[in-house]
Every structure is written in C-alpha cells, then in structure tokens.
Amino acid sequence: MPILLLSLFLATLIWLPWQAQRMEANERQEQLIADTLWVEQTIMFQLNRNDEVVRQIGADIVNLGISPEQVLERFRQILSNNREVSRLSWLDPNEQILVTTEKGAEGLMRRPKPAIITSSLFEIDRKTRCFQPALDTEQQMNSYLISCQIPLYRQNRHYGSVVISYLANGLLDELIPWWFAQENQVSIVDNDETVYATRTAGGIGKNIYSHNRALELPGLSLILRTNSIKAEPKILSNMLVVTVILLSVGLIWSLLALWRDINRRLAAEGALRQQLIFRSAMENSLVTGLRARDMQGRLTYVNPAFCKMIGIPAEELIGRIPPLPYWAPEAYEEYEERYRQLLSGTVPAEGFETVYQHADGTRIPVLIYESPLIDETGQQAGWMSSILDISELRHAQELTRQQEEKLHVSAKLATMGELASMLAHELNQPLAAISSYTTATSNMLEAGEDDRGLLRSALEKINAQAQRAGQIIRSVYDVVKKREPARQLISVQQVIQNAMPLIELQAQALRIPVHYDIASDLPSIMADPVLLEQVLLNLSRNAVEAMHGTTPARRLLQIQADFQPDSHEVIIQIRDRGHGISEEVAARLFSPFFTTKSAGMGMGLNICRTAIEFHGGRLTHGANPDGGTVFRISLPVPQES
C-alpha cells in the first residue's frame, strides 16, 4: 500500500501540471472557435442585411420606376451608413452602367453579358483602384474587390442588375471588433490558399491556436481564418509546492468526506425505506389501475385498483405474457396491434380507449396511458400503464346526449306553441276561400249553368288555396317531428323558401314587412334542412319580438344570404330594427337558461348556436347600423362546391 500511494503521488506530480497545461490550451482553442464563429456570423449578418437593402432598392426600381437620381441618393445613404461597402452600381440589361457611386466610373472594365441569373451571385471581381475616404489609398490598391450581383426581374423580364461591392480588407477592418483583432491575425482566403485580405492589428499569429470558418456566399466560397498571437501556456514554477499542499489537504478532506458519506448513506437508506412504505400506501389507495410490463410484455407489477377493476388477483397476473386473461375475445386483433406498437415504442402519448373483460364476463371500457419505465442506468426497462375505468363517464355522456335531445324537442314544441294561434288565423284564410269557391261552384251547378271557364277558374283557385294550407302544415310538421340530425347536400335558397311561410306568419301579427335579399348563385352546403329551418324560425321570431315596442314605420325584418369567396362560406343575416342588445345581455346571450323574456326558457339561442356549430359554422351577432340587431350565420361550403 505505501508503494502504491507513493507511485500515485509521483504520478500525480507529473500528470497534474501537464493536464493543467492541456486544459488551458483546450480552453484557449475553444474560446478562439467560439469567437471565430461569432465573427463569421457578424460578417454574414451584415452582408445579408446589405443584400436585403439592395434588393429593396431593386424592387423599387422594377415596381415603382424610381429615377437614377433617387437610386444614386439611396446608394450614397448606404455608403454613409456601411463603411464596409466600397461601391454600388446599377447596370442595364446589357451590363452598361446607369448609376454608380465610384469616381471615374468611365474607366470601369466592361464584362460580357452573363447568362440569366435568378439569385444573387458573389464573385472576386479584380484588384480595385477606386478611392474611398474610409480607407487609405495604399490599402485600397492592394485589396481585392468582392462584388455581389443581384438581377432584377419582373414577370420574366430582365431589368438589369444591381451590384454591391466590398473591399476585402474593408470587411475585416469594419466588421471585426478591435478586441478580437488585437488578439488574433484574421485573414480571408479561398480553397486554394489565396489570401485576399489580412488584418494584423495585434501582430502575426503564432500558428498554435487557429481556426477556419467557411463564408458560404452564393457562387463564391471563402474561408475566414483566425490565428491567435498567444503562445502555449507555461507551467507554474511553484506547481510542486501547491500540489503537495493540495494533496495533504485532500487526504484529510477525503477522510472527513468518507465519514460524512457513511452517515449520509445510512440516512438515505432509512429515507428510502420510508418512501417505499409511503409509495406502497399511496398506490394501494388509488382508484386508478397501475400496470408495469417489461420489454417482452410480461407483467411485472399490478396495484390493487387494477386487480379490483378486472376481478383477478395479483398472483395470477404477475409473470403472465400475452394473451392476458382480461382481454376480451372480440378485441384480440386490437390488443395484438397495441402490443406490437408497445414493443416498437410507438404508443400514442395522448392515450387510447379500449375494452377489458372482467372475471365475470362483464365488458369494461377503459382509458389507457402508457409511459416508458426507466431503470437506474437510464435505460428503458419496460412500460408503466395508467388505466381508468370510464364506464361511469360513458353513462353520463349518454344521459347528457339524451337530455340535449329532449331540450331540442322541447324548443321545437315551444316554438310551435307560439305559432299555434297565428297558424289558426293563417289557415282560416285559405279554408274560407276554399269554402267560398266551393259554394259558388255548387250554386252554378244547381242553377244549371255550364260555363266551363268559370268552373275551371274556381277549381284552380280552390287548388291553390289548398296547396297553400298544405305547405303551411308541412312546414310545421317538418319542424316538430322527432328525428336524428342528418347532413346532406342542400340548397340554401330552398331552405329559406321552405321557411318563408312560417317566417311571414310570425311577422304578420305585428304587421312587420319581410324583405328577402337572396343571391341567385349560392353554392350548395352540407346541412340538415330541418335544423337550419328551426334556427331561421327561432332567430326571426326573436327579431319580431324585438320590434314589438318600435313604431310601425320603423319595423322591418330583413333576411339576406350571399357567398363569401374569401372565407368560402355562405352568410345568412337576420336584421331587425328593434331595441338592440346591451353589453350586459350580450355577455350572457348564448348561455343556457339565460333569458330576458318573462315566459322564456333561455334555451333558444343556445340551441341555435349548437345547431350551427354541428354544421361546422358560427353564429354571431352585432349592432344594426339602422338600429336593432344583426344575427349572422356562417356555414362552410364543401371544397368540391
């Protein structure tokens, strides 16, 4: 043991300074990489931002036709705000200069017309000899010019191009922060190691810490190379003394830590036992079933709630593999598919519903959530399932559905109760006319008159009045008869026409005129015609009642229907000129059992909105500019229509 400890001590004395030196070198290299990445992103961000500004000028040239003087002024603004930019030029489709910010542009080299370019293209143009106040003459003459040509197109028509040029040295001088340049030699090179620009503000790099980052420009690949001027870290002269002291302190601390660790381990074991007891009590008190399986699907754990749910004790379940005794025979295929999903790890996170079989044969609808079971090494060891018995939930949902159906029927009967008195008056008119025409015909026959024209006219009038009465009765029957909602492809015009007799019947009591504005080219929609007619009757009845207190001259009920191509919806509007809706009432307008009527049920508007939402639409309301309220029904149109 002493020899081992001495060898370890000597090895530590040798390894620790070397490792410290390596760690410091790695830290410097990582810092250089991070700083180089930041500088590269800064350069690319500025180039992209300049590209967007120039593209906007090109768009204004093509779309707005701005003058060359305006283009030159905007070019100069870019030069004043971006010192890295050397010049800006506007070329016509023949590559002739229209506008440029370079002095002495008449000496600019003409290039052959390039092929059609559909995106910006960078290139190393040539050695530049243009002059600009931001850089001194000698630096400009020895710097390469990096140009970006942005073509101008509109509807396949070529309007020339805009060229933005940068001095390679200017990019380094203007876009690289001073603190980075003081610590590193920065260069721009290509894949052939051709150097286009170099900045050595802090000195020449020592080739110890260096990093290359690609500047991916369209049509041009450049490399941003950084070479640190720092030397390798030196080993401290007093490292041996510090190491001995640290090792001595570490030895004492390790003894104390060992004693503390033993005490903590004992305390942790006691806490673990307490947690195990607590968790067992908690799991036994749950009403949610818990089930654990390994990666082969073998049951490894079930809690009492799950055993009670399926009526099978835990000892008969632990260790079983599929097929399991609580599987229902009619759902075997579903279980096997779920089992394959479980083994492949594709179980849905939102859970799924299925049915289990109790030991007495009863079917139990359940909702299952699966989650991976991770062991102490971080590896998946199986699956943990939470299983909820949703029998009561399904029963409650069925009761709710039945209650809603009864409410719909009650609302229909309430609507027809209000129409009953007006319906009797309306039917009296065609029946009285039929009686009169029948009496007249009988008198003509008894008198021996044989005027067939008069007889035919009387019979036609009798037939028309009978059809009118029949139409009214059929409309009422369609509204009140009990049936399941069935959506089908229907015509909105036909639905409104079918409801017209009852709507006009409601309006006649207060002598309210009804105006219809129905577009002739409305597309067909998927809807239940009876539900839609009931909504129209309920809303029109509310509109009539809202105008009860208004003067007869202002009373008007408007029903409009048109098609909105933007939203691909049919819009039906019911407008009245009544008392309107206050903000307090509007906040609770569609709430169940809320009503402002003394004898109302408070379900009419709620049922109307439910019926419209059943069709995938919306029911909204707003103020009528002429006074009163507008109810708006939006119904989606199938895409094939």
Side-chain angles (χ1 to χ4, degrees), residues 46 49-50 53 73-85 132 174-175:
Q46 187 63 34
R49 187 174 67 174
N50 293 343
V53 173
E73 179 61 26
R74 294 175 69 172
F75 281 176
R76 289 173 176 170
Q77 290 178 0
I78 295 176
L79 288 178
S80 63
N81 296 328
N82 301 274
R83 297 170 59 88
E84 73 277 5
V85 179
Q132 185 173 328
E174 298 298 332
L175 301 182

Side-chain angles (χ1 to χ4, degrees), residues 587-611:
R588 304 177 57 193
L589 190 61
F590 295 101
S591 300
F593 307 109
F594 173 76
T595 180
T596 58
K597 304 175 185 178
S598 58
M601 296 176 58
M603 291 299 297
L605 287 177
N606 180 264
I607 292 175
C608 289
R609 184 174 67 174
T610 301

Side-chain angles (χ1 to χ4, degrees), residues 348-596:
E350 64 275 9
F352 60 91
E353 294 185 18
T354 187
V355 61
Y356 280 164
Q357 177 178 265
H358 193 270
D360 59 5
T362 305
R363 299 302 188 267
I364 308 169
V366 294
L367 178 62
I368 302 177
Y369 294 91
E370 301 275 6
S371 62
L373 190 61
I374 307 301
D375 61 12
E376 67 278 2
T377 63
Q379 301 295 323
Q380 182 176 350
W383 297 89
M384 176 62 73
S385 307
S386 299
I387 304 167
L388 303 177
D389 185 351
I390 56 175
S391 302
E392 295 297 330
L393 176 62
R394 289 290 174 263
H395 180 65
Q397 290 175 346
E398 178 63 22
L399 290 178
T400 302
R401 187 193 64 80
Q402 295 176 2
Q403 292 297 328
E404 289 180 353
E405 183 179 349
K406 292 179 180 179
L407 284 176
H408 279 284
V409 175
S410 299
K412 291 180 183 179
L413 296 177
T415 301
M416 296 314 302
E418 297 178 6
L419 292 174
S421 60
M422 293 182 289
L423 180 62
H425 173 74
E426 183 67 16
L427 287 177
N428 280 336
Q429 296 180 9
L431 293 177
I434 291 173
S435 178
S436 299
Y437 290 133
T438 305
T439 302
T441 303
S442 299
N443 293 336
M444 291 175 61
L445 293 175
E446 290 177 359
E449 297 180 5
D450 193 14
D451 190 341
R452 295 187 177 182
L454 291 176
L455 291 174
R456 183 180 294 106
S457 177
L459 291 175
E460 289 177 353
K461 292 180 179 179
I462 291 172
N463 182 49
Q465 294 298 326
Q467 288 182 355
R468 179 185 177 191
Q471 177 63 33
I472 293 173
I473 294 174
R474 281 193 301 272
S475 298
V476 174
Y477 174 74
D478 288 340
V479 172
V480 300
K481 70 179 180 180
K482 180 180 178 182
R483 65 182 184 85
E484 292 293 330
R487 296 173 61 183
Q488 56 186 342
L489 198 62
I490 64 171
S491 169
V492 177
Q493 297 98 320
Q494 187 63 42
V495 172
I496 297 177
Q497 289 175 2
N498 293 340
M500 280 182 183
L502 296 179
I503 294 175
E504 294 171 352
L505 181 61
Q506 295 177 129
Q508 283 180 2
L510 295 178
R511 300 183 183 277
I512 297 175
V514 183
H515 288 182
Y516 297 96
D517 184 9
I518 312 300
S520 60
D521 57 347
L522 291 179
S524 299
I525 64 173
M526 292 296 297
D528 186 307
V530 176
L531 280 181
L532 197 54
E533 287 179 25
Q534 181 187 356
V535 172
L536 293 175
L537 289 175
N538 286 345
L539 295 179
S540 61
R541 184 181 70 252
N542 290 344
V544 169
E545 293 175 351
M547 292 185 283
H548 186 273
T550 60
T551 59
R554 283 187 48 81
R555 295 174 182 174
L556 177 63
L557 176 60
Q558 295 175 292
I559 298 179
Q560 301 174 345
D562 58 358
F563 175 62
Q564 297 291 339
D566 296 339
S567 59
H568 213 65
E569 293 176 328
V570 170
I571 308 300
I572 304 175
Q573 300 185 67
I574 296 91
R575 297 173 173 266
D576 66 68
R577 293 184 178 179
H579 50 71
I581 300 175
S582 64
E583 293 182 0
E584 294 78 6
V585 174
R588 304 177 57 193
L589 190 61
F590 295 101
S591 300
F593 307 109
F594 173 76
T595 180
T596 58

